[in-house]
Amino acid sequence: MSSAADAVTDTLRELHSRFAELRDGELADYIPQLALADPDAFGLALISMDGHRYSAGAADVPFTLQSVSKPFVYALALSLLGLDEVCRWVGAEPSGEAYNAISLERGTGRPANAMVNAGAIVTTALIPGTADATGFDRILECLSRFAGRRLDVDEAVYASEVATGDRNRALAYLIRSTGLLPVDPVAAVETYFRQCAVQVTALDLAAMAATLANGGVNPLTGGVVIDEPVAAQVLAVMATCGMYEVSGDWLLRVGLPAKSGVSGGLIAAGPARFGLATYSPLLGPTGTSVRGRRALGALSERLGLHLMHNPALAGSTVTLVTTADDLPSAPTEEQERALRERVAVVAAQGALDFTAAERVLHALDEPRPEETESVVLDLRQVTGVDTVARTMLRSGLARLAEGGRRTAVVDPAGHLAVGPGGDPAAPRRFESRDEAVERAARDLGTL
Ligand code: GLN
């Protein structure tokens, strides 16, 4: 019996013991080496955006990536070539078919997406070698940076797939015949088999998923593995295509970008929240881990991770309107009332994005617009302002100023990057709320 840990580990352990009893499914045997896996092995892992690691069960047992490699090699291709170029070779439509189907677009022969074998083989073929590194060296290096440690190839699994991989070779030749494979089919497939044979643990997979969830920055090492836009592109294709012919049902019920592999690995990413991974080699009919699917489904529900649910939690990035309460007291009651009517103070808190900026601007404009002559935006409790929010707040404040309002920001951290003086439409910047309000009151002649 394991000792009491933290709440997250407890949840993982509970799911582990619940689903360990499930014995449905079969080991993959079309790659003979995979049939040697321990059918009872079952591990879960979760890594937060702060790099906190949690696990239960066999989270340290090594297995091969197989198709879980696909989104990461796709990320590398997107980083090197850009979305438009990659899309010339590989589509981004769910195929609705099995991973090893001949999912080629009618007319062009372009593979449906990079998550099915046809598209993954082309994606791998798109990674160019350099003077001192082969295409595969670059793939291994990239996978290692996603995992946060040096990964290696399981040569036995690689050899086993080389010996039996005729279907993938046939796919590669078929694609080559349409002109959409930039390299020799045999070479393309061998590099693809190698990437599939890279050895990881469930904890490695959780780090890889967490890196995608964290906008391309590995939360364990702090290293920038890919740019944020690429992470978003990869997650989008995982969400629509990552679970092959059950991708729609998975997005409906579990609501997370995910990717499965026939060795029993499964990852899911909760953007800006967690990287999740499971390992259990017993597979269902679509080549996905039976326990993994059930456990990640339950985990998403338990932790409220479904992407379409409650996308912005009120309270995390919210803004508050405070008018009267924080104003300095004026010498007479009448002056104080005038001050309350004529100066509006809006305090924002947390990380400001588009949604939060909309609320802030609405709040600034809302209180008795006819009477309010001066608005003070207090950003002291703000932890960050993204580019969109910064542009919106600056232009919103300028618009208020053009409408005749006096505007001020309390922004000691310089989130709005408002310079001193110069632009008459720019708000005045203060270090403290008292200073800003006192100044507003004095300008209005109420103090
Ligand atoms: N290497 C395996 C194959 O190409 C990967 C398939 C998978 O994991 N779904 O058949």
Side-chain angles (χ1 to χ4, degrees), residues 112-151:
N113 64 71
M115 302 298 115
V116 293
N117 288 8
I121 292 167
V122 174
T123 306
T124 298
L126 290 176
I127 310 298
T130 61
D132 35 38
T134 63
F136 181 71
D137 292 338
R138 298 178 85 183
I139 289 172
L140 185 61
E141 154 84 21
C142 176
L143 294 170
S144 299
R145 293 177 65 213
F146 269 108
R149 74 177 180 95
R150 181 81 206 160
L151 300 175

Short mmCIF file of all heavy atoms in Angstrom, two decimals, residues 112-151:
data_model
loop_
_atom_site.label_atom_id
_atom_site.label_comp_id
_atom_site.label_asym_id
_atom_site.label_seq_id
_atom_site.Cartn_x
_atom_site.Cartn_y
_atom_site.Cartn_z
N ALA A 112 -3.93 12.60 -45.92
CA ALA A 112 -4.96 13.38 -45.24
C ALA A 112 -4.39 14.25 -44.13
O ALA A 112 -4.71 15.43 -44.02
CB ALA A 112 -6.02 12.45 -44.66
N ASN A 113 -3.54 13.69 -43.30
CA ASN A 113 -2.98 14.47 -42.19
C ASN A 113 -1.72 13.77 -41.68
O ASN A 113 -1.44 12.63 -42.05
CB ASN A 113 -4.01 14.64 -41.06
CG ASN A 113 -4.40 13.32 -40.44
OD1 ASN A 113 -3.61 12.69 -39.74
ND2 ASN A 113 -5.62 12.84 -40.73
N ALA A 114 -0.99 14.47 -40.81
CA ALA A 114 0.31 13.96 -40.36
C ALA A 114 0.20 12.97 -39.21
O ALA A 114 1.22 12.49 -38.71
CB ALA A 114 1.21 15.13 -39.96
N MET A 115 -1.01 12.66 -38.77
CA MET A 115 -1.17 11.72 -37.65
C MET A 115 -1.36 10.29 -38.14
O MET A 115 -1.16 9.35 -37.39
CB MET A 115 -2.35 12.14 -36.75
CG MET A 115 -2.23 13.55 -36.16
SD MET A 115 -0.80 13.79 -35.08
CE MET A 115 0.13 14.98 -36.02
N VAL A 116 -1.83 10.12 -39.39
CA VAL A 116 -1.93 8.76 -39.95
C VAL A 116 -0.58 8.40 -40.58
O VAL A 116 0.21 9.29 -40.91
CB VAL A 116 -3.07 8.64 -41.00
CG1 VAL A 116 -4.43 8.79 -40.34
CG2 VAL A 116 -2.91 9.65 -42.13
N ASN A 117 -0.33 7.10 -40.75
CA ASN A 117 0.99 6.68 -41.23
C ASN A 117 1.39 7.36 -42.54
O ASN A 117 2.53 7.81 -42.68
CB ASN A 117 1.01 5.16 -41.41
CG ASN A 117 1.01 4.44 -40.08
OD1 ASN A 117 0.84 5.05 -39.03
ND2 ASN A 117 1.19 3.12 -40.13
N ALA A 118 0.45 7.41 -43.50
CA ALA A 118 0.81 7.99 -44.81
C ALA A 118 1.37 9.40 -44.64
O ALA A 118 2.43 9.73 -45.18
CB ALA A 118 -0.43 8.00 -45.72
N GLY A 119 0.66 10.21 -43.85
CA GLY A 119 1.10 11.60 -43.65
C GLY A 119 2.36 11.68 -42.81
O GLY A 119 3.20 12.58 -43.01
N ALA A 120 2.51 10.76 -41.87
CA ALA A 120 3.69 10.79 -41.01
C ALA A 120 4.95 10.42 -41.79
O ALA A 120 6.02 10.99 -41.58
CB ALA A 120 3.50 9.84 -39.83
N ILE A 121 4.80 9.48 -42.71
CA ILE A 121 5.97 9.08 -43.52
C ILE A 121 6.43 10.28 -44.38
O ILE A 121 7.62 10.58 -44.47
CB ILE A 121 5.62 7.85 -44.40
CG1 ILE A 121 5.40 6.62 -43.49
CG2 ILE A 121 6.71 7.58 -45.43
CD1 ILE A 121 4.75 5.43 -44.19
N VAL A 122 5.47 10.99 -44.95
CA VAL A 122 5.83 12.18 -45.74
C VAL A 122 6.45 13.25 -44.84
O VAL A 122 7.46 13.86 -45.18
CB VAL A 122 4.59 12.74 -46.49
CG1 VAL A 122 4.94 14.05 -47.18
CG2 VAL A 122 4.06 11.73 -47.48
N THR A 123 5.86 13.45 -43.67
CA THR A 123 6.38 14.47 -42.74
C THR A 123 7.83 14.17 -42.40
O THR A 123 8.69 15.06 -42.41
CB THR A 123 5.52 14.52 -41.46
OG1 THR A 123 4.16 14.70 -41.84
CG2 THR A 123 5.95 15.65 -40.56
N THR A 124 8.11 12.91 -42.09
CA THR A 124 9.48 12.51 -41.77
C THR A 124 10.41 12.79 -42.95
O THR A 124 11.52 13.28 -42.78
CB THR A 124 9.50 11.02 -41.39
OG1 THR A 124 8.69 10.85 -40.22
CG2 THR A 124 10.90 10.52 -41.12
N ALA A 125 9.90 12.49 -44.16
CA ALA A 125 10.72 12.69 -45.35
C ALA A 125 11.01 14.17 -45.61
O ALA A 125 11.94 14.50 -46.34
CB ALA A 125 10.01 12.08 -46.57
N LEU A 126 10.20 15.05 -45.01
CA LEU A 126 10.41 16.49 -45.22
C LEU A 126 11.56 17.05 -44.38
O LEU A 126 11.99 18.18 -44.60
CB LEU A 126 9.13 17.27 -44.86
CG LEU A 126 7.93 17.12 -45.80
CD1 LEU A 126 6.72 17.87 -45.25
CD2 LEU A 126 8.28 17.63 -47.19
N ILE A 127 12.02 16.28 -43.38
CA ILE A 127 13.08 16.81 -42.51
C ILE A 127 14.43 16.66 -43.21
O ILE A 127 14.92 15.55 -43.39
CB ILE A 127 13.13 16.06 -41.14
CG1 ILE A 127 11.74 15.98 -40.50
CG2 ILE A 127 14.17 16.70 -40.22
CD1 ILE A 127 11.10 17.29 -40.13
N PRO A 128 15.03 17.77 -43.61
CA PRO A 128 16.29 17.66 -44.35
C PRO A 128 17.48 17.41 -43.42
O PRO A 128 17.47 17.86 -42.27
CB PRO A 128 16.41 19.05 -45.00
CG PRO A 128 15.65 19.97 -44.10
CD PRO A 128 14.60 19.16 -43.39
N GLY A 129 18.46 16.69 -43.92
CA GLY A 129 19.71 16.56 -43.18
C GLY A 129 20.52 17.84 -43.36
O GLY A 129 20.16 18.70 -44.17
N THR A 130 21.58 17.97 -42.55
CA THR A 130 22.48 19.11 -42.73
C THR A 130 23.88 18.55 -42.98
O THR A 130 24.05 17.32 -43.05
CB THR A 130 22.52 20.00 -41.47
OG1 THR A 130 23.01 19.20 -40.38
CG2 THR A 130 21.15 20.55 -41.12
N ALA A 131 24.87 19.43 -43.05
CA ALA A 131 26.24 18.97 -43.30
C ALA A 131 26.68 17.98 -42.23
O ALA A 131 27.36 16.99 -42.52
CB ALA A 131 27.18 20.16 -43.34
N ASP A 132 26.29 18.22 -40.97
CA ASP A 132 26.77 17.29 -39.94
C ASP A 132 25.68 16.53 -39.19
O ASP A 132 25.93 15.94 -38.15
CB ASP A 132 27.72 17.99 -38.95
CG ASP A 132 27.33 19.42 -38.70
OD1 ASP A 132 26.11 19.68 -38.63
OD2 ASP A 132 28.21 20.27 -38.62
N ALA A 133 24.47 16.54 -39.70
CA ALA A 133 23.41 15.75 -39.05
C ALA A 133 22.46 15.18 -40.10
O ALA A 133 22.07 15.89 -41.03
CB ALA A 133 22.64 16.63 -38.07
N THR A 134 22.10 13.91 -39.92
CA THR A 134 21.11 13.33 -40.83
C THR A 134 19.73 13.83 -40.40
O THR A 134 19.56 14.39 -39.30
CB THR A 134 21.10 11.80 -40.71
OG1 THR A 134 20.71 11.46 -39.36
CG2 THR A 134 22.46 11.19 -41.02
N GLY A 135 18.75 13.60 -41.27
CA GLY A 135 17.37 13.94 -40.90
C GLY A 135 16.99 13.26 -39.59
O GLY A 135 16.38 13.89 -38.72
N PHE A 136 17.38 11.98 -39.44
CA PHE A 136 17.02 11.29 -38.21
C PHE A 136 17.73 11.88 -36.99
O PHE A 136 17.13 11.98 -35.91
CB PHE A 136 17.30 9.77 -38.27
CG PHE A 136 16.89 9.13 -36.98
CD1 PHE A 136 15.53 8.99 -36.67
CD2 PHE A 136 17.83 8.73 -36.03
CE1 PHE A 136 15.13 8.47 -35.45
CE2 PHE A 136 17.43 8.21 -34.81
CZ PHE A 136 16.08 8.07 -34.52
N ASP A 137 18.99 12.28 -37.13
CA ASP A 137 19.69 12.93 -36.00
C ASP A 137 18.88 14.12 -35.51
O ASP A 137 18.73 14.35 -34.31
CB ASP A 137 21.07 13.45 -36.42
CG ASP A 137 22.05 12.33 -36.74
OD1 ASP A 137 21.82 11.20 -36.27
OD2 ASP A 137 23.03 12.60 -37.48
N ARG A 138 18.37 14.89 -36.46
CA ARG A 138 17.61 16.10 -36.08
C ARG A 138 16.29 15.71 -35.40
O ARG A 138 15.85 16.38 -34.46
CB ARG A 138 17.35 16.97 -37.31
CG ARG A 138 18.64 17.46 -37.93
CD ARG A 138 18.37 18.29 -39.16
NE ARG A 138 18.09 19.68 -38.81
CZ ARG A 138 17.76 20.61 -39.71
NH1 ARG A 138 17.64 20.29 -40.98
NH2 ARG A 138 17.54 21.84 -39.33
N ILE A 139 15.68 14.63 -35.90
CA ILE A 139 14.43 14.17 -35.27
C ILE A 139 14.70 13.72 -33.83
O ILE A 139 13.98 14.10 -32.90
CB ILE A 139 13.81 13.03 -36.11
CG1 ILE A 139 13.26 13.60 -37.42
CG2 ILE A 139 12.74 12.28 -35.33
CD1 ILE A 139 12.79 12.56 -38.43
N LEU A 140 15.76 12.93 -33.65
CA LEU A 140 16.06 12.42 -32.31
C LEU A 140 16.38 13.56 -31.35
O LEU A 140 15.95 13.57 -30.19
CB LEU A 140 17.22 11.43 -32.38
CG LEU A 140 17.54 10.73 -31.04
CD1 LEU A 140 16.36 9.91 -30.56
CD2 LEU A 140 18.77 9.84 -31.18
N GLU A 141 17.13 14.52 -31.85
CA GLU A 141 17.49 15.69 -31.05
C GLU A 141 16.22 16.44 -30.63
O GLU A 141 16.06 16.84 -29.48
CB GLU A 141 18.41 16.56 -31.92
CG GLU A 141 18.44 18.05 -31.63
CD GLU A 141 19.39 18.37 -30.50
OE1 GLU A 141 20.28 17.54 -30.25
OE2 GLU A 141 19.22 19.44 -29.88
N CYS A 142 15.30 16.59 -31.57
CA CYS A 142 14.06 17.32 -31.29
C CYS A 142 13.20 16.55 -30.28
O CYS A 142 12.70 17.13 -29.31
CB CYS A 142 13.32 17.54 -32.60
SG CYS A 142 11.73 18.34 -32.37
N LEU A 143 13.06 15.25 -30.49
CA LEU A 143 12.27 14.43 -29.54
C LEU A 143 12.87 14.52 -28.14
O LEU A 143 12.16 14.60 -27.14
CB LEU A 143 12.21 12.97 -30.01
CG LEU A 143 11.46 12.69 -31.33
CD1 LEU A 143 11.70 11.25 -31.79
CD2 LEU A 143 9.97 12.97 -31.17
N SER A 144 14.21 14.50 -28.08
CA SER A 144 14.91 14.57 -26.79
C SER A 144 14.64 15.90 -26.09
O SER A 144 14.45 15.94 -24.87
CB SER A 144 16.42 14.40 -26.98
OG SER A 144 16.71 13.14 -27.55
N ARG A 145 14.60 16.97 -26.85
CA ARG A 145 14.35 18.28 -26.24
C ARG A 145 12.91 18.36 -25.73
O ARG A 145 12.64 18.97 -24.71
CB ARG A 145 14.68 19.40 -27.22
CG ARG A 145 16.19 19.43 -27.50
CD ARG A 145 16.56 20.47 -28.51
NE ARG A 145 16.28 21.80 -27.99
CZ ARG A 145 15.90 22.83 -28.73
NH1 ARG A 145 15.75 22.66 -30.03
NH2 ARG A 145 15.67 23.99 -28.19
N PHE A 146 12.00 17.73 -26.45
CA PHE A 146 10.62 17.68 -25.96
C PHE A 146 10.56 16.91 -24.63
O PHE A 146 9.83 17.28 -23.72
CB PHE A 146 9.70 16.99 -26.98
CG PHE A 146 9.05 17.93 -27.95
CD1 PHE A 146 9.43 17.98 -29.28
CD2 PHE A 146 8.03 18.78 -27.54
CE1 PHE A 146 8.80 18.84 -30.19
CE2 PHE A 146 7.39 19.64 -28.43
CZ PHE A 146 7.78 19.67 -29.75
N ALA A 147 11.32 15.81 -24.55
CA ALA A 147 11.29 14.99 -23.33
C ALA A 147 12.12 15.59 -22.21
O ALA A 147 11.91 15.28 -21.03
CB ALA A 147 11.79 13.58 -23.65
N GLY A 148 13.07 16.43 -22.56
CA GLY A 148 13.94 17.02 -21.55
C GLY A 148 15.08 16.12 -21.14
O GLY A 148 15.72 16.33 -20.11
N ARG A 149 15.35 15.09 -21.92
CA ARG A 149 16.52 14.25 -21.68
C ARG A 149 16.88 13.53 -22.98
O ARG A 149 16.07 13.45 -23.90
CB ARG A 149 16.27 13.23 -20.57
CG ARG A 149 15.38 12.09 -20.97
CD ARG A 149 15.21 11.07 -19.85
NE ARG A 149 14.35 9.97 -20.28
CZ ARG A 149 14.79 8.82 -20.78
NH1 ARG A 149 16.10 8.60 -20.91
NH2 ARG A 149 13.95 7.87 -21.17
N ARG A 150 18.08 13.02 -23.03
CA ARG A 150 18.57 12.34 -24.23
C ARG A 150 17.84 11.01 -24.43
O ARG A 150 17.89 10.14 -23.57
CB ARG A 150 20.08 12.12 -24.07
CG ARG A 150 20.76 11.45 -25.21
CD ARG A 150 21.08 12.42 -26.32
NE ARG A 150 21.15 11.70 -27.59
CZ ARG A 150 21.02 12.28 -28.78
NH1 ARG A 150 20.82 13.57 -28.88
NH2 ARG A 150 21.10 11.57 -29.87
N LEU A 151 17.16 10.85 -25.55
CA LEU A 151 16.44 9.61 -25.83
C LEU A 151 17.26 8.74 -26.79
O LEU A 151 18.13 9.25 -27.50
CB LEU A 151 15.08 9.93 -26.46
CG LEU A 151 14.12 10.79 -25.61
CD1 LEU A 151 12.87 11.12 -26.41
CD2 LEU A 151 13.76 10.11 -24.30
#
